[in-house]
């Protein structure tokens, strides 16, 4: 079949044995209904400790549109996604979670807009069922903070569920930093974007892989990898602090010369020492944050390691991969 475009559906999966059977059924129905396109369903098994890989392999026997990459350990969703981009064969890709929170039935609409010439067709949540108010609130605040720190337009209420044209894929593949925040990368690369609205369903089975520590880590990575504004906090804090120091110094000197003729402000000095050492610690913290990043980047490690890869063409045995 010549000139038939291929769409790769990239599915990062970590301990998804409960959700996968539902996922296969729904995704199969959807792709069977979409004629005129070839599909590749590329699973990135992100070091699952349960039967996720076995299940994928089992389905691969029945369905040769499936391919998979098995990472050598759990690297986190962000890295699983870039691994997906590296191995995707399609003319466009769609990122989807394995838990059916992103309805596959939206794929035809994403493709429609892609065919109209959009490069990044992103699905925006109208509603988010099955999420606590705290998660909704924190994610709203996060968007606000991220947006206020940068001039690049960030899409609100948008996750990773989106269709990306090959040129977006190629652009993202060039961004090899270790502390990844796809959300801001999608915005950063630009290209023609189109929003599609949908209702976010609750997870079909299994448990969410996120906890608040992971989310806070992601938020910090997002902000610091995207902007150096936090570095400026030190400058903003240093100016009034230095101003206060000068004023206080003048005050103490004047008081000494004009009234008391001696300095008796040891308590104030102790307070000052505490105050300044507090600020210093804060600044060191910020500098440390960036220093850590430079350290990580300078190591120049590969982002992930692949254990084995079974492509669409290789129906026989998966290839065991070494570092390339
Ligand atoms: N995921 C992953 N690696 C991880 C954590 C999650 O590949 O370390 C995958 C997970 O299997 C799912 C998607 O990322 O397909 C979203 O995860 P989850 O549903 O747990 O997140 P939530 O929807 O609660 O934000
Ligand atoms: Mg989910």
């Amino acid at each position: 079949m010549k000139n038939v475009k291929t769409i790769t559906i990239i599915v990062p999966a970590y301990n998804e044995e409960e959700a996968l059977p539902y996922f296969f059924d729904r995704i199969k129905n959807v792709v069977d209904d979409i004629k005129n396109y070839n599909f590749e369903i590329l699973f990135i098994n992100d070091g699952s400790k349960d039967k996720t890989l076995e299940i994928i392999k089992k389905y691969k026997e029945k369905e040769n549109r499936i391919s998979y990459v098995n990472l050598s350990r759990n690297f986190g969703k962000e890295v699983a996604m870039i691994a997906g981009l590296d191995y995707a064969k399609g003319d466009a890709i769609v990122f989807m979670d394995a838990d059916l929170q992103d309805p596959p039935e939206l794929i035809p609409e994403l493709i429609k807009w892609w065919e109209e010439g959009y490069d990044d067709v992103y699905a925006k949540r109208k509603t988010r069922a099955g999420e606590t108010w705290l998660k909704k609130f924190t994610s709203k605040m996060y968007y606000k903070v991220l947006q206020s720190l940068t001039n690049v337009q960030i899409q609100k209420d948008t996750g990773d569920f989106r269709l990306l044209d090959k040129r977006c894929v190629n652009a993202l593949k060039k961004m090899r930093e270790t502390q990844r925040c796809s959300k801001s990368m999608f915005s950063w690369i630009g290209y023609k974007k189109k929003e599609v609205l949908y209702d976010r369903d609750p997870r079909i089975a299994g448990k969410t892989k996120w906890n608040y520590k992971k989310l806070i880590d992601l938020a910090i990575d997002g902000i610091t990898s995207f902007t150096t504004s936090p570095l400026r906090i030190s400058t903003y804090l240093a100016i009034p602090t230095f101003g206060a120091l000068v004023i206080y110094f003048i005050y103490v000197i004047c008081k000494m010369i004009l009234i008391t003729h001696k300095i008796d402000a040891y308590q104030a000095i102790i307070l000052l020492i505490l105050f300044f050492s507090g600020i210093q610690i804060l600044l060191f913290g910020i500098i440390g944050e960036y220093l850590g990043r430079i350290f990580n980047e300078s190591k120049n490690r590969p982002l992930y390691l692949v254990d084995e890869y079974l492509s669409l063409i290789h129906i026989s045995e998966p290839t065991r991969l070494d570092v390339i």
Side-chain angles (χ1 to χ4, degrees), residues 11-16 44-48 74-78 80-81 96-102 125 128 131 135 160 200 203 207-210 214-215:
V11 192
Y14 175 53
N15 294 347
E16 296 287 3
I44 313 297
N45 179 38
D46 185 17
S48 301
N74 177 251
F75 284 91
K77 187 187 176 190
E78 291 285 336
M81 284 165 66
M96 290 199 76
D97 287 356
D99 59 2
L100 287 177
Q101 282 198 280
D102 312 324
R125 300 163 199 146
R128 312 162 65 127
E131 286 184 15
K135 177 136 187 228
D160 302 319
R200 189 154 173 90
R203 166 178 268 281
K207 283 202 197 71
T208 173
K209 309 298 173 299
W210 292 105
K214 272 195 180 176
L215 281 178

Side-chain angles (χ1 to χ4, degrees), residues 82-270:
I82 180 80
L85 294 177
D86 288 341
Y87 282 85
K89 298 254 193 296
D91 302 293
I93 65 102
V94 176
F95 278 123
M96 290 199 76
D97 287 356
D99 59 2
L100 287 177
Q101 282 198 280
D102 312 324
E105 292 74 21
L106 206 68
I107 293 176
E109 198 181 339
L110 302 180
I111 297 176
K112 188 189 93 191
W113 289 112
W114 176 50
E115 289 294 356
E116 303 244 325
Y118 290 96
D119 298 299
D120 176 359
V121 190
Y122 61 93
K124 181 174 169 171
R125 300 163 199 146
K126 265 191 293 183
T127 56
R128 312 162 65 127
E131 286 184 15
T132 60
W133 70 267
L134 191 62
K135 177 136 187 228
K136 286 184 210 169
F137 175 75
T138 43
S139 103
K140 197 171 161 189
M141 292 311 293
Y142 177 58
Y143 277 116
K144 271 218 169 114
V145 171
L146 203 58
Q147 186 62 79
S148 68
L149 288 174
T150 171
N151 296 329
V152 181
Q153 190 66 38
I154 298 186
Q155 293 97 37
K156 252 189 239 144
D157 280 327
T158 309
D160 302 319
F161 183 25
R162 61 181 66 221
L163 180 147
L164 295 171
D165 183 78
K166 184 127 200 151
R167 56 187 184 150
C168 296
V169 173
N170 288 338
L172 289 168
K173 274 158 65 171
K174 289 228 159 79
M175 301 165 86
R176 310 300 297 186
E177 59 248 53
T178 43
Q179 259 96 21
R180 307 185 68 79
C181 172
S182 300
K183 230 184 270 305
S184 51
M185 289 180 179
F186 296 141
S187 303
W188 188 88
I189 57 168
Y191 292 117
K192 260 183 101 180
K193 295 192 187 304
K194 172 77 193 165
E195 163 181 310
V196 171
L197 291 175
Y198 79 110
D199 293 309
R200 189 154 173 90
D201 297 324
R203 166 178 268 281
I204 192 97
K207 283 202 197 71
T208 173
K209 309 298 173 299
W210 292 105
N211 52 40
Y212 271 93
K213 187 192 167 292
K214 272 195 180 176
L215 281 178
I216 291 169
D217 286 351
L218 187 75
I220 293 176
D221 281 352
I223 290 169
T224 48
S225 66
F226 197 31
T227 156
T228 48
S229 310
L231 267 181
R232 203 162 294 155
I233 295 174
S234 55
T235 323
Y236 288 148
L237 277 177
I239 294 169
T241 312
F242 193 67
L245 178 72
V246 171
I247 291 168
Y248 190 77
F249 185 73
I250 293 171
Y251 166 76
V252 169
I253 296 289
C254 288
K255 198 175 163 195
M256 189 186 80
I257 296 171
L258 301 175
I259 310 165
T260 58
H261 302 285
K262 66 175 175 33
I263 301 171
D264 62 352
Y266 74 93
Q267 280 174 324
I269 291 170
I270 291 173

